[in-house]
Amino acid sequence: MENSHTPGLAGRKEWIALGVLMLPLLLVSMDISILYFAIPFVSQDLEPSATQQLWILDMYGFVLAGLLITMGALGDRIGRRKLVLAGAAVFGAASVAAAYAHSADALIGVRALLGLGGAALMPSTLALIRNLFHDAKQRGRAVTIWTGVMTTGISLGPVVSGLLLEHFWWGSVFLINLPAMALLLVLVPFLVPESRTDSGAEGVGDGAREPFDLVSAALSLAALLTVIYGIKEWARHGFATVPALAVVVGLALGYVFVRRQKRLANPMIDLELLGRRAFGGPVFANVLAMFATVGMAVFLTQYLQSVQGLKPFEAALWSLVPASGVIVAAPTAAILAQRVDRAYVMGGGFVVAAAGFSWLTQIRTDSPLWFCLSAGALYVGGLVAAMTLANELAIGAAPPERAGSAAAVLESGQELGGALGMAVLGSVGAAVYSRDMADALPADVAAALPGGEADAVRETLGGAAAAAARLPAEAGDSVLAVARDAFSHGMGLASVGAAVVMVVAALFSFVALRGTAGRATSRAGKGPEGGDLARAQTGVLE
């Protein structure tokens, strides 16, 4: 059964342990976005193709999302503290390898290892928090800190990246992980008790004694990566047999995975919980929200740095301005949610986000800085309002004994949405850029470039910047002007896609989630500590 001591208030040791556990969580979430400002430097050094550049950005999120459920189940079997320590070791070693990668393919492979280490760390830290804090109110505060650190890391990644790139080479954005991972390996054995589920906990029963289901783990990861590969190639090159076949194979593998979960006594995903409208609906809404959030983030950071011409750290600091929308949106959403159905407030948040993305469709190379940042603040505010209420609905719908499983599904959905957004919207932008560059690049300039460089110029803005630096001033300026126009056009059309997805999310919230808040609250109040847990969550959110 679940290892525990006599329930009571957590003391100094537990809160120090929480601080230690937040270090890897911060770095894991930072690694989702830390390469945004480093990409131009990586492009100059490793000269990746457009597809390789997208895989460098995408691979970490893909593997992280694909393995969260698997690693959560593995932590239940072998011990969550043990898995945290193993994840820290893998993450630290992969960080060194990434910093000194000498080719694009090597960096892609190492980013996959970083995703493996991150997937071992994220769900285990949340599960260990539940073991450290037995009091419902303290646990609510700890989980709120966990959530805040995770979301802050995504925003902080570009800032840290920009600061490091002002003084060091691009590999330094990975080496910053090492001190925290070393501290984790030293302190966790002394501060954090081991925690595992043997049997009888959370409805697991004797299924926990079954061998670990490697087949389900392989199916989930293979389905995700195959579908994403097909989507990326399809969006970039148009319809072709191989990308279409990849999507079909991935969907088939996903279907087999779901069918297998229905037959298992101890499945990796609780399909019964996921099928509830009050839980599955908010999870789906969060997937759409993260699709737009992460998918557009890479465009904004590259626009500030490569189109507006800001230095990396300066661009990183300006990229924090859109977060100001949260200051207005979060309290406004909380007040409105007390008076009207949360589904309507969520839908309204998505409508605001759609307006922000529609604003971005008008972006141009010579647009003033405030134009881009204001649009960003509008869509970020709308998304945060919607996601906060979606999380509240989902956690409220889960019975207390399944709170851990619910949290793992929420994490996986968010990571999956972000990875898909980066792949799909990134591929749209890359396709538009390549087409525009093929049409607009001056013939005499293209002829003056070696074959490999000409292809790089047509594929990525980073490649164009690198080639322009080696050309005579007039020719280099011509290449940069055309490349910046092409990138801005691609960013505008990607914003159209994000706005459409937000409209879909708003309609889904208005239609499918109406009336789920009351149902979620009643279910959350059932079972041991249910009422206390619901009250603690409500107090934290308000």
Side-chain angles (χ1 to χ4, degrees), residues 78 81-91 117 120-121 185:
I78 69 173
R81 185 181 70 178
K82 187 181 298 182
L83 190 62
V84 162
L85 294 173
V90 171
F91 202 84
L121 288 166
L185 290 170

Side-chain angles (χ1 to χ4, degrees), residues 167-184:
H167 304 285
F168 307 102
W169 96 114
W170 61 264
S172 62
V173 303
F174 295 108
L175 294 181
I176 194 175
N177 298 328
L178 296 183
M181 294 302 154
L183 189 64
L184 186 74

Side-chain angles (χ1 to χ4, degrees), residues 18 41 71 74 85 130 144 173 188 220-221 327 337 368 493 531 540:
L18 175 65
F41 299 91
M71 289 298 173
L74 183 63
L85 294 173
R130 295 181 67 232
T144 299
V173 303
V188 162
S220 63
L221 184 60
I327 299 174
L493 288 185
V540 167

Side-chain angles (χ1 to χ4, degrees), residues 274-325:
L274 192 59
R276 294 181 185 175
R277 184 165 64 99
F279 180 79
V283 168
F284 179 67
N286 254 350
V287 170
L288 297 180
M290 288 298 291
F291 177 97
T293 301
V294 178
M296 287 305 300
V298 67
F299 284 101
L300 285 173
T301 52
Q302 288 194 62
Y303 178 83
L304 293 175
Q305 185 175 352
S306 299
V307 177
Q308 290 281 343
L310 301 178
K311 293 181 178 180
F313 185 53
E314 184 182 6
L317 290 177
W318 277 114
S319 70
L320 292 178
V321 171
S324 62

